Amino acid sequence: MDRELAPEIVRQSRTKNYIIVFVVLVVAGIAIYFFRRVLKTSVEASRIRTATAEIGPVENSLSATGEVIPAYEQIITSPIRASIRRVLLTPGTQIKPGQAILDLDKSLTLIEFEKMKDQLALKRNSIEQLRMKLNKNLFDAEADDQIKSLNINRLKAELEDARRLLKVGGQTQEDVTRAENSLRIAELEKKKLENDLSYNRQSMGASLKETTLQAQIEEKNLSELDRKLNQANIIADRPGVLTWVNENIGSAVNEGEILAKLADLGSFRIEGSCSDVYADQVKAGLPVIVKVNETNLRGLITQVKPSVKNGVIQFVVQLNDNHHASLRPNMKVEVFVVTSQTAKAVRVANGPAFKGKKNQFVYILNNQGIAQRREVQVGLSNFDYVEIKSGIQPGERVIITDLSEFEHLQEITIDNHAN
């Protein structure tokens, strides 16, 4: 005879069965959830972005960074050795022409200026003394020459008298010979005096010319120093903004040392930089697109700096519109160097779906809300557009959102009613 089971045993058995059924249901639910995830073939429309293929130009560009700097920056240097007495303006100040920036102590240079003036006066005085001395020497030589001429005339007369007396027996031949020799000596002495006179005239001109040139050099040096003293009044000669000034009051500055920088904020240029991997592609003359906030500005590379620093090459961009209102000094901007371009191509707005591969798969959305997987060949690309060489026709809608999770599906349904 069967004995009835105790209630406690029946209760434990039922609980155990309930637990088993619950675990099986949970496992089945999880399996169904992941199975549905794997087989899911629809995407909410709010998750995707599309772009319509069109015909237009496409430019291939390299990404770089840039900084906006004033197109023209005047560097004001010290024209003399001096010290900074006062700083009249601070960086960031708008400056008008004629406005003083710094006040320099010019006392040392003024002393040197006065010394040079005295030296020039002494040189001019020495020129006058030399001219007087040379004139005296020239006068003495000319007088000696005239005296020698008179003496020669006298000796000629004596020779004629000796010859006449010789004929009448009043003189001997020795007296005539003596008179002839005296005349010949006097003529040679006169010739020597004439040669000395000619030399004195030439040397006088040369000596005066040399001394005069030395005085002219000192006069030019004095004028140059006077000009530098006038420039030592550090005054702006054009409108702009003071971007930097030496504010070390009392410090000594040498000639040529930078005192201030004045920028013209009416026009700007871009100093760009990119990886040296692109060194063979970045060249002067290439067009450039500069992205300033939401504005694209065009320009050209005017200079590529020859040196490479820390794996980076630098270049200068001249903007077509260098007065644009969005430009600000020291602003960081995106720069895109256009290395090649196609004037007429099938293009699609760039997006995460394009991963830089030449051949890849994208989804084309039709009017029924079905996205079909299609292989395309990609050409040139930039931050705005991607060139499609094959696989897409103008007018077709391309999903530019990254749908890598559905890459195993040939078709995807775009659900416009999903929450």
Side-chain angles (χ1 to χ4, degrees), residues 362-419:
V362 295
Y363 284 93
I364 311 301
L365 182 63
N366 60 26
N367 295 331
Q368 288 74 38
I370 303 298
Q372 296 180 329
R373 186 167 175 259
R374 190 183 300 175
E375 185 177 9
V376 297
Q377 184 180 5
V378 178
L380 304 180
S381 65
N382 56 39
F383 61 99
D384 281 330
Y385 293 104
V386 174
E387 178 192 11
I388 305 299
K389 289 190 172 182
S390 64
I392 298 176
Q393 298 300 319
E396 291 186 311
R397 294 174 64 196
V398 182
I399 297 177
I400 61 175
T401 303
D402 185 9
L403 296 179
S404 299
E405 59 183 301
F406 302 101
E407 61 184 1
H408 60 286
L409 298 176
Q410 191 65 32
E411 291 186 353
I412 302 174
T413 300
I414 305 303
D415 189 356
N416 290 302
H417 304 288
N419 293 327

Side-chain angles (χ1 to χ4, degrees), residues 218-252:
E218 292 190 9
E219 187 173 2
K220 289 179 180 178
N221 291 336
L222 185 65
S223 298
E224 177 68 14
L225 187 57
D226 185 45
R227 184 183 66 84
K228 289 180 178 181
L229 279 169
N230 291 330
Q231 289 180 340
N233 300 318
I234 309 302
I235 297 173
D237 59 357
R238 67 185 67 190
V241 174
L242 188 65
T243 58
W244 181 85
V245 64
N246 188 338
E247 298 178 308
N248 298 320
I249 296 176
S251 63

Side-chain angles (χ1 to χ4, degrees), residues 31 42 46 60 87 106 115 163 230 243 267 313 338 387 418:
S42 65
S46 60
N60 193 53
V87 178
K106 301 175 283 187
K115 180 180 177 182
R163 286 174 178 170
N230 291 330
T243 58
S267 57
I313 59 173
V338 179
E387 178 192 11

Side-chain angles (χ1 to χ4, degrees), residues 268-395:
F268 298 90
R269 58 189 173 95
I270 307 296
E271 284 199 350
S273 59
C274 66
S275 171
D276 61 352
V277 174
Y278 306 118
D280 58 338
Q281 300 182 54
V282 178
K283 300 176 182 178
L286 287 180
V288 169
I289 302 171
V290 179
K291 198 172 185 66
V292 182
N293 298 328
E294 299 301 322
T295 305
N296 292 338
L297 301 178
R298 294 268 176 173
L300 288 176
I301 295 178
T302 57
Q303 178 189 3
V304 179
K305 297 184 179 180
S307 61
V308 177
K309 296 181 180 179
N310 300 322
V312 173
I313 59 173
Q314 295 179 316
F315 54 90
V316 178
V317 176
Q318 180 68 44
L319 295 172
N320 296 341
D321 182 9
N322 58 5
H323 300 84
H324 197 276
S326 299
L327 296 172
R328 295 289 184 274
N330 303 322
M331 175 187 288
K332 303 298 182 181
V333 294
E334 293 181 87
V335 179
F336 300 91
V337 181
V338 179
T339 57
S340 58
Q341 53 188 339
T342 301
K344 194 174 182 182
V346 178
R347 68 181 188 181
V348 177
N350 204 345
F354 298 100
K355 304 181 184 301
K357 299 179 181 179
K358 292 298 180 183
N359 293 283
Q360 67 172 79
F361 290 95
V362 295
Y363 284 93
I364 311 301
L365 182 63
N366 60 26
N367 295 331
Q368 288 74 38
I370 303 298
Q372 296 180 329
R373 186 167 175 259
R374 190 183 300 175
E375 185 177 9
V376 297
Q377 184 180 5
V378 178
L380 304 180
S381 65
N382 56 39
F383 61 99
D384 281 330
Y385 293 104
V386 174
E387 178 192 11
I388 305 299
K389 289 190 172 182
S390 64
I392 298 176
Q393 298 300 319

Side-chain angles (χ1 to χ4, degrees), residues 82-209:
S83 60
I84 299 174
R85 181 184 293 169
R86 286 186 302 163
V87 178
L88 304 176
L89 298 175
T90 57
T93 305
Q94 290 277 352
I95 296 181
K96 298 178 181 179
Q99 196 168 0
I101 301 172
L102 285 170
D103 181 21
L104 296 180
D105 182 0
K106 301 175 283 187
S107 57
L108 290 177
T109 306
L110 285 171
I111 293 173
E112 184 179 354
F113 179 76
E114 294 299 326
K115 180 180 177 182
M116 290 180 67
K117 282 178 64 177
D118 293 340
Q119 289 177 344
L120 180 60
L122 287 173
K123 182 64 68 175
R124 286 172 175 168
N125 185 62
S126 66
I127 290 174
E128 290 302 319
Q129 289 181 346
L130 178 62
R131 182 179 285 111
M132 293 171 61
K133 179 180 179 181
L134 292 175
N135 285 335
K136 177 183 179 300
N137 293 339
L138 183 61
F139 177 81
D140 291 344
E142 289 176 346
D144 289 342
D145 184 61
Q146 291 176 2
I147 292 172
K148 188 61 68 175
S149 296
L150 293 175
N151 190 33
I152 288 175
N153 291 334
R154 179 179 62 78
L155 291 175
K156 285 181 178 179
E158 291 179 353
L159 178 60
E160 291 298 326
D161 291 341
R163 286 174 178 170
R164 282 197 301 271
L165 291 173
L166 178 63
K167 290 179 182 180
V168 297
Q171 291 282 357
T172 63
Q173 183 62 41
E174 288 78 2
D175 296 331
V176 173
T177 302
R178 189 181 301 110
E180 288 176 349
N181 290 336
S182 297
L183 177 61
R184 190 174 298 111
I185 292 171
E187 288 176 343
L188 290 173
E189 289 176 347
K190 183 178 186 306
K191 188 174 182 180
K192 180 177 179 297
L193 281 174
E194 289 176 346
N195 183 65
D196 291 342
L197 181 61
S198 175
Y199 172 78
N200 287 337
R201 285 172 178 160
Q202 292 177 3
S203 64
M204 174 182 175
S207 298
L208 282 174
K209 185 176 181 180

